[in-house]
Amino acid sequence: MNTLQEILVFITFLMAIGYIITKFIWKPAFLNFSKKTDKACGSSDCGCH
């Protein structure tokens, strides 16, 4: 039972480290969610915003 707890703690630790790395240091291509800011004020983009 003690070994199982250590394995679960280790897996949780690795997941936390992976989250921190992908959040702040390295952004892989499959996590690239670019936000589009297409806010036109009419049918043509006149630049009035």
Side-chain angles (χ1 to χ4, degrees):
M1 189 69 178
N2 192 17
T3 305
L4 180 62
Q5 283 180 330
E6 290 177 1
I7 290 171
L8 291 175
V9 167
F10 185 69
I11 290 172
T12 306
F13 178 73
L14 287 178
M15 288 175 60
I17 294 297
Y19 174 77
I20 290 172
I21 288 173
T22 56
K23 182 72 176 176
F24 298 111
I25 299 172
W26 175 64
K27 296 190 187 273
F30 64 89
L31 292 177
N32 190 10
F33 299 112
S34 61
K35 296 179 182 177
K36 294 183 179 180
T37 58
D38 293 335
K39 294 183 180 178
C41 46
S43 61
S44 65
D45 188 16
C46 61
C48 58
H49 51 93

mmCIF file of all heavy atoms in Angstrom:
data_model
loop_
_atom_site.group_PDB
_atom_site.id
_atom_site.type_symbol
_atom_site.label_atom_id
_atom_site.label_comp_id
_atom_site.label_asym_id
_atom_site.label_seq_id
_atom_site.Cartn_x
_atom_site.Cartn_y
_atom_site.Cartn_z
ATOM 1 N N MET A 1 0.821 -1.195 0.000
ATOM 2 C CA MET A 1 0.000 0.000 0.000
ATOM 3 C C MET A 1 0.867 1.263 0.000
ATOM 4 O O MET A 1 0.528 2.234 -0.652
ATOM 5 C CB MET A 1 -0.916 -0.028 1.217
ATOM 6 C CG MET A 1 -1.946 1.048 1.213
ATOM 7 S SD MET A 1 -3.137 0.747 -0.089
ATOM 8 C CE MET A 1 -4.234 2.078 0.176
ATOM 9 N N ASN A 2 1.959 1.225 0.719
ATOM 10 C CA ASN A 2 2.856 2.367 0.785
ATOM 11 C C ASN A 2 3.495 2.638 -0.576
ATOM 12 O O ASN A 2 3.665 3.792 -0.967
ATOM 13 C CB ASN A 2 3.929 2.131 1.848
ATOM 14 C CG ASN A 2 4.704 3.388 2.155
ATOM 15 O OD1 ASN A 2 4.269 4.480 1.833
ATOM 16 N ND2 ASN A 2 5.860 3.213 2.773
ATOM 17 N N THR A 3 3.819 1.582 -1.307
ATOM 18 C CA THR A 3 4.419 1.735 -2.629
ATOM 19 C C THR A 3 3.423 2.359 -3.599
ATOM 20 O O THR A 3 3.796 3.199 -4.419
ATOM 21 C CB THR A 3 4.886 0.371 -3.160
ATOM 22 O OG1 THR A 3 5.753 -0.215 -2.201
ATOM 23 C CG2 THR A 3 5.609 0.513 -4.469
ATOM 24 N N LEU A 4 2.163 1.976 -3.498
ATOM 25 C CA LEU A 4 1.130 2.536 -4.363
ATOM 26 C C LEU A 4 0.973 4.033 -4.120
ATOM 27 O O LEU A 4 0.848 4.815 -5.071
ATOM 28 C CB LEU A 4 -0.206 1.821 -4.132
ATOM 29 C CG LEU A 4 -1.387 2.312 -4.965
ATOM 30 C CD1 LEU A 4 -1.106 2.105 -6.438
ATOM 31 C CD2 LEU A 4 -2.643 1.614 -4.533
ATOM 32 N N GLN A 5 1.012 4.448 -2.877
ATOM 33 C CA GLN A 5 0.924 5.868 -2.560
ATOM 34 C C GLN A 5 2.114 6.637 -3.127
ATOM 35 O O GLN A 5 1.954 7.737 -3.649
ATOM 36 C CB GLN A 5 0.865 6.075 -1.046
ATOM 37 C CG GLN A 5 -0.480 5.769 -0.446
ATOM 38 C CD GLN A 5 -0.472 6.005 1.053
ATOM 39 O OE1 GLN A 5 0.562 5.851 1.698
ATOM 40 N NE2 GLN A 5 -1.620 6.354 1.596
ATOM 41 N N GLU A 6 3.291 6.069 -3.025
ATOM 42 C CA GLU A 6 4.473 6.730 -3.563
ATOM 43 C C GLU A 6 4.398 6.859 -5.077
ATOM 44 O O GLU A 6 4.782 7.899 -5.636
ATOM 45 C CB GLU A 6 5.734 5.964 -3.165
ATOM 46 C CG GLU A 6 6.041 6.065 -1.684
ATOM 47 C CD GLU A 6 7.253 5.255 -1.290
ATOM 48 O OE1 GLU A 6 7.871 4.620 -2.173
ATOM 49 O OE2 GLU A 6 7.593 5.252 -0.092
ATOM 50 N N ILE A 7 3.874 5.842 -5.743
ATOM 51 C CA ILE A 7 3.726 5.897 -7.194
ATOM 52 C C ILE A 7 2.716 6.970 -7.581
ATOM 53 O O ILE A 7 2.944 7.755 -8.506
ATOM 54 C CB ILE A 7 3.316 4.512 -7.744
ATOM 55 C CG1 ILE A 7 4.490 3.538 -7.603
ATOM 56 C CG2 ILE A 7 2.876 4.609 -9.204
ATOM 57 C CD1 ILE A 7 4.139 2.109 -7.914
ATOM 58 N N LEU A 8 1.593 7.056 -6.876
ATOM 59 C CA LEU A 8 0.583 8.052 -7.170
ATOM 60 C C LEU A 8 1.096 9.470 -6.909
ATOM 61 O O LEU A 8 0.807 10.393 -7.675
ATOM 62 C CB LEU A 8 -0.682 7.791 -6.360
ATOM 63 C CG LEU A 8 -1.470 6.541 -6.767
ATOM 64 C CD1 LEU A 8 -2.625 6.324 -5.816
ATOM 65 C CD2 LEU A 8 -1.949 6.654 -8.192
ATOM 66 N N VAL A 9 1.858 9.648 -5.852
ATOM 67 C CA VAL A 9 2.448 10.955 -5.567
ATOM 68 C C VAL A 9 3.442 11.329 -6.656
ATOM 69 O O VAL A 9 3.484 12.479 -7.113
ATOM 70 C CB VAL A 9 3.113 10.972 -4.173
ATOM 71 C CG1 VAL A 9 3.984 12.192 -3.987
ATOM 72 C CG2 VAL A 9 2.062 10.899 -3.094
ATOM 73 N N PHE A 10 4.232 10.383 -7.116
ATOM 74 C CA PHE A 10 5.209 10.625 -8.165
ATOM 75 C C PHE A 10 4.518 11.007 -9.474
ATOM 76 O O PHE A 10 4.935 11.948 -10.165
ATOM 77 C CB PHE A 10 6.102 9.390 -8.350
ATOM 78 C CG PHE A 10 7.212 9.581 -9.325
ATOM 79 C CD1 PHE A 10 8.269 10.430 -9.042
ATOM 80 C CD2 PHE A 10 7.207 8.920 -10.538
ATOM 81 C CE1 PHE A 10 9.301 10.614 -9.944
ATOM 82 C CE2 PHE A 10 8.231 9.100 -11.454
ATOM 83 C CZ PHE A 10 9.276 9.941 -11.151
ATOM 84 N N ILE A 11 3.438 10.304 -9.823
ATOM 85 C CA ILE A 11 2.692 10.621 -11.041
ATOM 86 C C ILE A 11 2.073 12.009 -10.939
ATOM 87 O O ILE A 11 2.106 12.797 -11.889
ATOM 88 C CB ILE A 11 1.621 9.547 -11.309
ATOM 89 C CG1 ILE A 11 2.292 8.238 -11.728
ATOM 90 C CG2 ILE A 11 0.632 9.994 -12.375
ATOM 91 C CD1 ILE A 11 1.353 7.064 -11.823
ATOM 92 N N THR A 12 1.511 12.344 -9.789
ATOM 93 C CA THR A 12 0.932 13.666 -9.589
ATOM 94 C C THR A 12 1.996 14.750 -9.685
ATOM 95 O O THR A 12 1.772 15.815 -10.279
ATOM 96 C CB THR A 12 0.225 13.741 -8.227
ATOM 97 O OG1 THR A 12 -0.721 12.665 -8.143
ATOM 98 C CG2 THR A 12 -0.492 15.046 -8.040
ATOM 99 N N PHE A 13 3.156 14.493 -9.131
ATOM 100 C CA PHE A 13 4.266 15.435 -9.206
ATOM 101 C C PHE A 13 4.701 15.652 -10.647
ATOM 102 O O PHE A 13 4.915 16.790 -11.080
ATOM 103 C CB PHE A 13 5.434 14.915 -8.359
ATOM 104 C CG PHE A 13 6.644 15.791 -8.402
ATOM 105 C CD1 PHE A 13 6.657 17.009 -7.743
ATOM 106 C CD2 PHE A 13 7.772 15.387 -9.097
ATOM 107 C CE1 PHE A 13 7.783 17.816 -7.782
ATOM 108 C CE2 PHE A 13 8.892 16.182 -9.142
ATOM 109 C CZ PHE A 13 8.894 17.405 -8.483
ATOM 110 N N LEU A 14 4.793 14.583 -11.424
ATOM 111 C CA LEU A 14 5.184 14.705 -12.823
ATOM 112 C C LEU A 14 4.141 15.478 -13.631
ATOM 113 O O LEU A 14 4.490 16.286 -14.498
ATOM 114 C CB LEU A 14 5.401 13.323 -13.442
ATOM 115 C CG LEU A 14 6.658 12.578 -13.002
ATOM 116 C CD1 LEU A 14 6.712 11.212 -13.670
ATOM 117 C CD2 LEU A 14 7.895 13.378 -13.315
ATOM 118 N N MET A 15 2.873 15.252 -13.334
ATOM 119 C CA MET A 15 1.820 15.986 -14.029
ATOM 120 C C MET A 15 1.881 17.472 -13.692
ATOM 121 O O MET A 15 1.680 18.324 -14.567
ATOM 122 C CB MET A 15 0.453 15.405 -13.671
ATOM 123 C CG MET A 15 0.205 14.054 -14.290
ATOM 124 S SD MET A 15 -1.326 13.293 -13.763
ATOM 125 C CE MET A 15 -2.524 14.481 -14.295
ATOM 126 N N ALA A 16 2.154 17.795 -12.443
ATOM 127 C CA ALA A 16 2.259 19.198 -12.044
ATOM 128 C C ALA A 16 3.453 19.868 -12.707
ATOM 129 O O ALA A 16 3.348 20.999 -13.197
ATOM 130 C CB ALA A 16 2.358 19.298 -10.529
ATOM 131 N N ILE A 17 4.567 19.206 -12.749
ATOM 132 C CA ILE A 17 5.759 19.749 -13.406
ATOM 133 C C ILE A 17 5.501 19.918 -14.903
ATOM 134 O O ILE A 17 5.877 20.941 -15.489
ATOM 135 C CB ILE A 17 6.982 18.839 -13.149
ATOM 136 C CG1 ILE A 17 7.358 18.862 -11.674
ATOM 137 C CG2 ILE A 17 8.166 19.248 -14.015
ATOM 138 C CD1 ILE A 17 7.787 20.216 -11.168
ATOM 139 N N GLY A 18 4.840 18.946 -15.525
ATOM 140 C CA GLY A 18 4.503 19.049 -16.941
ATOM 141 C C GLY A 18 3.586 20.212 -17.220
ATOM 142 O O GLY A 18 3.736 20.921 -18.224
ATOM 143 N N TYR A 19 2.623 20.448 -16.338
ATOM 144 C CA TYR A 19 1.719 21.582 -16.501
ATOM 145 C C TYR A 19 2.469 22.905 -16.405
ATOM 146 O O TYR A 19 2.268 23.805 -17.209
ATOM 147 C CB TYR A 19 0.615 21.533 -15.455
ATOM 148 C CG TYR A 19 -0.270 22.754 -15.480
ATOM 149 C CD1 TYR A 19 -1.237 22.906 -16.464
ATOM 150 C CD2 TYR A 19 -0.115 23.767 -14.544
ATOM 151 C CE1 TYR A 19 -2.036 24.028 -16.503
ATOM 152 C CE2 TYR A 19 -0.909 24.894 -14.578
ATOM 153 C CZ TYR A 19 -1.866 25.023 -15.555
ATOM 154 O OH TYR A 19 -2.645 26.133 -15.593
ATOM 155 N N ILE A 20 3.345 23.016 -15.438
ATOM 156 C CA ILE A 20 4.110 24.253 -15.259
ATOM 157 C C ILE A 20 5.014 24.502 -16.456
ATOM 158 O O ILE A 20 5.131 25.632 -16.934
ATOM 159 C CB ILE A 20 4.917 24.202 -13.941
ATOM 160 C CG1 ILE A 20 3.954 24.292 -12.758
ATOM 161 C CG2 ILE A 20 5.954 25.295 -13.882
ATOM 162 C CD1 ILE A 20 4.597 24.071 -11.421
ATOM 163 N N ILE A 21 5.637 23.457 -16.970
ATOM 164 C CA ILE A 21 6.529 23.610 -18.127
ATOM 165 C C ILE A 21 5.741 24.055 -19.348
ATOM 166 O O ILE A 21 6.141 24.987 -20.045
ATOM 167 C CB ILE A 21 7.299 22.303 -18.391
ATOM 168 C CG1 ILE A 21 8.358 22.105 -17.307
ATOM 169 C CG2 ILE A 21 7.946 22.316 -19.771
ATOM 170 C CD1 ILE A 21 9.063 20.783 -17.374
ATOM 171 N N THR A 22 4.582 23.416 -19.611
ATOM 172 C CA THR A 22 3.821 23.789 -20.800
ATOM 173 C C THR A 22 3.108 25.121 -20.630
ATOM 174 O O THR A 22 2.799 25.790 -21.611
ATOM 175 C CB THR A 22 2.779 22.714 -21.159
ATOM 176 O OG1 THR A 22 1.925 22.482 -20.043
ATOM 177 C CG2 THR A 22 3.451 21.431 -21.583
ATOM 178 N N LYS A 23 2.852 25.542 -19.423
ATOM 179 C CA LYS A 23 2.163 26.808 -19.192
ATOM 180 C C LYS A 23 3.109 28.003 -19.315
ATOM 181 O O LYS A 23 2.751 29.015 -19.904
ATOM 182 C CB LYS A 23 1.532 26.790 -17.798
ATOM 183 C CG LYS A 23 0.744 27.996 -17.434
ATOM 184 C CD LYS A 23 -0.556 28.036 -18.189
ATOM 185 C CE LYS A 23 -1.374 29.210 -17.715
ATOM 186 N NZ LYS A 23 -2.579 29.361 -18.457
ATOM 187 N N PHE A 24 4.302 27.892 -18.791
ATOM 188 C CA PHE A 24 5.182 29.050 -18.694
ATOM 189 C C PHE A 24 6.436 28.977 -19.551
ATOM 190 O O PHE A 24 6.969 30.013 -19.935
ATOM 191 C CB PHE A 24 5.603 29.266 -17.238
ATOM 192 C CG PHE A 24 4.446 29.552 -16.332
ATOM 193 C CD1 PHE A 24 4.057 28.639 -15.382
ATOM 194 C CD2 PHE A 24 3.741 30.740 -16.441
ATOM 195 C CE1 PHE A 24 2.989 28.892 -14.546
ATOM 196 C CE2 PHE A 24 2.673 31.011 -15.611
ATOM 197 C CZ PHE A 24 2.299 30.090 -14.662
ATOM 198 N N ILE A 25 6.952 27.816 -19.844
ATOM 199 C CA ILE A 25 8.256 27.723 -20.499
ATOM 200 C C ILE A 25 8.135 27.307 -21.962
ATOM 201 O O ILE A 25 8.590 27.998 -22.851
ATOM 202 C CB ILE A 25 9.168 26.726 -19.731
ATOM 203 C CG1 ILE A 25 9.383 27.226 -18.313
ATOM 204 C CG2 ILE A 25 10.484 26.536 -20.461
ATOM 205 C CD1 ILE A 25 10.101 26.261 -17.418
ATOM 206 N N TRP A 26 7.493 26.174 -22.232
ATOM 207 C CA TRP A 26 7.473 25.599 -23.568
ATOM 208 C C TRP A 26 6.041 25.355 -23.979
ATOM 209 O O TRP A 26 5.297 24.679 -23.288
ATOM 210 C CB TRP A 26 8.257 24.291 -23.574
ATOM 211 C CG TRP A 26 8.211 23.551 -24.872
ATOM 212 C CD1 TRP A 26 8.711 23.975 -26.053
ATOM 213 C CD2 TRP A 26 7.659 22.257 -25.101
ATOM 214 N NE1 TRP A 26 8.494 23.021 -27.011
ATOM 215 C CE2 TRP A 26 7.859 21.963 -26.457
ATOM 216 C CE3 TRP A 26 7.025 21.326 -24.299
ATOM 217 C CZ2 TRP A 26 7.435 20.770 -27.017
ATOM 218 C CZ3 TRP A 26 6.607 20.143 -24.858
ATOM 219 C CH2 TRP A 26 6.817 19.872 -26.202
ATOM 220 N N LYS A 27 5.646 25.917 -25.127
ATOM 221 C CA LYS A 27 4.291 25.719 -25.630
ATOM 222 C C LYS A 27 4.379 24.853 -26.882
ATOM 223 O O LYS A 27 4.781 25.322 -27.942
ATOM 224 C CB LYS A 27 3.640 27.054 -25.946
ATOM 225 C CG LYS A 27 3.482 27.889 -24.702
ATOM 226 C CD LYS A 27 2.634 29.096 -24.968
ATOM 227 C CE LYS A 27 2.624 29.985 -23.771
ATOM 228 N NZ LYS A 27 1.660 29.708 -22.799
ATOM 229 N N PRO A 28 3.990 23.580 -26.774
ATOM 230 C CA PRO A 28 4.061 22.697 -27.931
ATOM 231 C C PRO A 28 3.053 23.100 -29.011
ATOM 232 O O PRO A 28 2.092 23.809 -28.757
ATOM 233 C CB PRO A 28 3.728 21.317 -27.372
ATOM 234 C CG PRO A 28 3.258 21.509 -26.001
ATOM 235 C CD PRO A 28 3.552 22.901 -25.581
ATOM 236 N N ALA A 29 3.273 22.637 -30.221
ATOM 237 C CA ALA A 29 2.439 23.018 -31.360
ATOM 238 C C ALA A 29 1.000 22.534 -31.196
ATOM 239 O O ALA A 29 0.068 23.199 -31.626
ATOM 240 C CB ALA A 29 3.038 22.456 -32.640
ATOM 241 N N PHE A 30 0.791 21.378 -30.586
ATOM 242 C CA PHE A 30 -0.569 20.865 -30.445
ATOM 243 C C PHE A 30 -1.366 21.604 -29.379
ATOM 244 O O PHE A 30 -2.576 21.440 -29.300
ATOM 245 C CB PHE A 30 -0.570 19.360 -30.173
ATOM 246 C CG PHE A 30 0.071 18.967 -28.868
ATOM 247 C CD1 PHE A 30 -0.663 18.907 -27.704
ATOM 248 C CD2 PHE A 30 1.408 18.623 -28.825
ATOM 249 C CE1 PHE A 30 -0.076 18.543 -26.514
ATOM 250 C CE2 PHE A 30 1.994 18.245 -27.637
ATOM 251 C CZ PHE A 30 1.245 18.213 -26.486
ATOM 252 N N LEU A 31 -0.735 22.445 -28.583
ATOM 253 C CA LEU A 31 -1.442 23.261 -27.601
ATOM 254 C C LEU A 31 -1.554 24.710 -28.040
ATOM 255 O O LEU A 31 -1.876 25.567 -27.243
ATOM 256 C CB LEU A 31 -0.716 23.200 -26.247
ATOM 257 C CG LEU A 31 -0.751 21.873 -25.524
ATOM 258 C CD1 LEU A 31 0.061 21.958 -24.239
ATOM 259 C CD2 LEU A 31 -2.168 21.454 -25.219
ATOM 260 N N ASN A 32 -1.305 24.978 -29.300
ATOM 261 C CA ASN A 32 -1.315 26.345 -29.802
ATOM 262 C C ASN A 32 -2.732 26.744 -30.188
ATOM 263 O O ASN A 32 -3.179 26.517 -31.296
ATOM 264 C CB ASN A 32 -0.374 26.462 -31.013
ATOM 265 C CG ASN A 32 -0.178 27.894 -31.412
ATOM 266 O OD1 ASN A 32 -0.567 28.807 -30.701
ATOM 267 N ND2 ASN A 32 0.438 28.091 -32.569
ATOM 268 N N PHE A 33 -3.446 27.333 -29.251
ATOM 269 C CA PHE A 33 -4.789 27.815 -29.495
ATOM 270 C C PHE A 33 -4.703 29.330 -29.654
ATOM 271 O O PHE A 33 -4.712 30.071 -28.687
ATOM 272 C CB PHE A 33 -5.727 27.466 -28.345
ATOM 273 C CG PHE A 33 -5.865 26.001 -28.111
ATOM 274 C CD1 PHE A 33 -5.374 25.420 -26.966
ATOM 275 C CD2 PHE A 33 -6.490 25.203 -29.052
ATOM 276 C CE1 PHE A 33 -5.515 24.068 -26.735
ATOM 277 C CE2 PHE A 33 -6.630 23.849 -28.832
ATOM 278 C CZ PHE A 33 -6.141 23.280 -27.681
ATOM 279 N N SER A 34 -4.587 29.771 -30.887
ATOM 280 C CA SER A 34 -4.469 31.209 -31.111
ATOM 281 C C SER A 34 -5.853 31.843 -31.119
ATOM 282 O O SER A 34 -6.796 31.312 -31.687
ATOM 283 C CB SER A 34 -3.751 31.488 -32.428
ATOM 284 O OG SER A 34 -4.493 30.947 -33.500
ATOM 285 N N LYS A 35 -5.942 32.977 -30.479
ATOM 286 C CA LYS A 35 -7.203 33.697 -30.412
ATOM 287 C C LYS A 35 -7.271 34.678 -31.577
ATOM 288 O O LYS A 35 -6.353 35.450 -31.800
ATOM 289 C CB LYS A 35 -7.320 34.449 -29.086
ATOM 290 C CG LYS A 35 -7.354 33.531 -27.903
ATOM 291 C CD LYS A 35 -7.452 34.333 -26.623
ATOM 292 C CE LYS A 35 -7.430 33.422 -25.414
ATOM 293 N NZ LYS A 35 -7.443 34.168 -24.170
ATOM 294 N N LYS A 36 -8.370 34.630 -32.289
ATOM 295 C CA LYS A 36 -8.548 35.536 -33.406
ATOM 296 C C LYS A 36 -9.295 36.766 -32.923
ATOM 297 O O LYS A 36 -10.295 36.669 -32.239
ATOM 298 C CB LYS A 36 -9.332 34.857 -34.528
ATOM 299 C CG LYS A 36 -8.579 33.715 -35.160
ATOM 300 C CD LYS A 36 -9.355 33.123 -36.298
ATOM 301 C CE LYS A 36 -8.581 31.990 -36.938
ATOM 302 N NZ LYS A 36 -9.316 31.392 -38.045
ATOM 303 N N THR A 37 -8.790 37.918 -33.293
ATOM 304 C CA THR A 37 -9.417 39.168 -32.901
ATOM 305 C C THR A 37 -9.911 39.888 -34.150
ATOM 306 O O THR A 37 -9.455 40.980 -34.474
ATOM 307 C CB THR A 37 -8.443 40.057 -32.116
ATOM 308 O OG1 THR A 37 -7.308 40.287 -32.934
ATOM 309 C CG2 THR A 37 -8.020 39.408 -30.804
ATOM 310 N N ASP A 38 -10.825 39.248 -34.863
ATOM 311 C CA ASP A 38 -11.417 39.856 -36.051
ATOM 312 C C ASP A 38 -12.684 40.588 -35.631
ATOM 313 O O ASP A 38 -13.761 40.017 -35.570
ATOM 314 C CB ASP A 38 -11.748 38.789 -37.097
ATOM 315 C CG ASP A 38 -10.501 38.144 -37.665
ATOM 316 O OD1 ASP A 38 -9.453 38.799 -37.626
ATOM 317 O OD2 ASP A 38 -10.583 37.004 -38.141
ATOM 318 N N LYS A 39 -12.535 41.852 -35.324
ATOM 319 C CA LYS A 39 -13.674 42.657 -34.911
ATOM 320 C C LYS A 39 -13.812 43.814 -35.881
ATOM 321 O O LYS A 39 -13.241 44.879 -35.692
ATOM 322 C CB LYS A 39 -13.502 43.170 -33.478
ATOM 323 C CG LYS A 39 -13.519 42.057 -32.464
ATOM 324 C CD LYS A 39 -13.420 42.627 -31.066
ATOM 325 C CE LYS A 39 -13.437 41.521 -30.033
ATOM 326 N NZ LYS A 39 -13.307 42.023 -28.678
ATOM 327 N N ALA A 40 -14.544 43.588 -36.933
ATOM 328 C CA ALA A 40 -14.787 44.639 -37.902
ATOM 329 C C ALA A 40 -16.084 45.350 -37.520
ATOM 330 O O ALA A 40 -16.987 44.772 -36.935
ATOM 331 C CB ALA A 40 -14.901 44.060 -39.301
ATOM 332 N N CYS A 41 -16.184 46.600 -37.858
ATOM 333 C CA CYS A 41 -17.362 47.370 -37.497
ATOM 334 C C CYS A 41 -18.370 47.450 -38.627
ATOM 335 O O CYS A 41 -19.262 48.270 -38.634
ATOM 336 C CB CYS A 41 -16.971 48.759 -36.998
ATOM 337 S SG CYS A 41 -15.748 49.565 -38.039
ATOM 338 N N GLY A 42 -18.224 46.624 -39.601
ATOM 339 C CA GLY A 42 -19.153 46.598 -40.734
ATOM 340 C C GLY A 42 -18.741 45.511 -41.696
ATOM 341 O O GLY A 42 -18.053 44.559 -41.335
ATOM 342 N N SER A 43 -19.170 45.640 -42.915
ATOM 343 C CA SER A 43 -18.792 44.634 -43.900
ATOM 344 C C SER A 43 -17.345 44.811 -44.360
ATOM 345 O O SER A 43 -16.717 43.879 -44.803
ATOM 346 C CB SER A 43 -19.744 44.695 -45.100
ATOM 347 O OG SER A 43 -19.665 45.981 -45.710
ATOM 348 N N SER A 44 -16.829 46.026 -44.246
ATOM 349 C CA SER A 44 -15.422 46.267 -44.572
ATOM 350 C C SER A 44 -14.680 46.684 -43.303
ATOM 351 O O SER A 44 -15.244 47.306 -42.432
ATOM 352 C CB SER A 44 -15.286 47.373 -45.624
ATOM 353 O OG SER A 44 -15.739 48.577 -45.098
ATOM 354 N N ASP A 45 -13.433 46.337 -43.224
ATOM 355 C CA ASP A 45 -12.634 46.677 -42.042
ATOM 356 C C ASP A 45 -12.095 48.095 -42.220
ATOM 357 O O ASP A 45 -11.071 48.325 -42.858
ATOM 358 C CB ASP A 45 -11.478 45.675 -41.887
ATOM 359 C CG ASP A 45 -10.748 45.865 -40.588
ATOM 360 O OD1 ASP A 45 -11.289 46.542 -39.678
ATOM 361 O OD2 ASP A 45 -9.628 45.344 -40.460
ATOM 362 N N CYS A 46 -12.797 49.053 -41.640
ATOM 363 C CA CYS A 46 -12.423 50.449 -41.827
ATOM 364 C C CYS A 46 -11.442 50.921 -40.753
ATOM 365 O O CYS A 46 -10.954 52.046 -40.809
ATOM 366 C CB CYS A 46 -13.668 51.327 -41.810
ATOM 367 S SG CYS A 46 -14.580 51.257 -40.266
ATOM 368 N N GLY A 47 -11.181 50.118 -39.742
ATOM 369 C CA GLY A 47 -10.232 50.493 -38.705
ATOM 370 C C GLY A 47 -10.815 51.455 -37.682
ATOM 371 O O GLY A 47 -10.095 52.237 -37.087
ATOM 372 N N CYS A 48 -12.129 51.406 -37.467
ATOM 373 C CA CYS A 48 -12.761 52.359 -36.563
ATOM 374 C C CYS A 48 -12.879 51.843 -35.133
ATOM 375 O O CYS A 48 -13.534 52.451 -34.328
ATOM 376 C CB CYS A 48 -14.160 52.718 -37.080
ATOM 377 S SG CYS A 48 -15.243 51.298 -37.258
ATOM 378 N N HIS A 49 -12.247 50.759 -34.799
ATOM 379 C CA HIS A 49 -12.323 50.241 -33.419
ATOM 380 C C HIS A 49 -11.069 50.493 -32.672
ATOM 381 O O HIS A 49 -10.055 50.822 -33.070
ATOM 382 C CB HIS A 49 -12.699 48.773 -33.383
ATOM 383 C CG HIS A 49 -11.859 47.892 -34.260
ATOM 384 N ND1 HIS A 49 -10.747 47.237 -33.804
ATOM 385 C CD2 HIS A 49 -11.969 47.601 -35.565
ATOM 386 C CE1 HIS A 49 -10.224 46.539 -34.796
ATOM 387 N NE2 HIS A 49 -10.943 46.756 -35.878
#
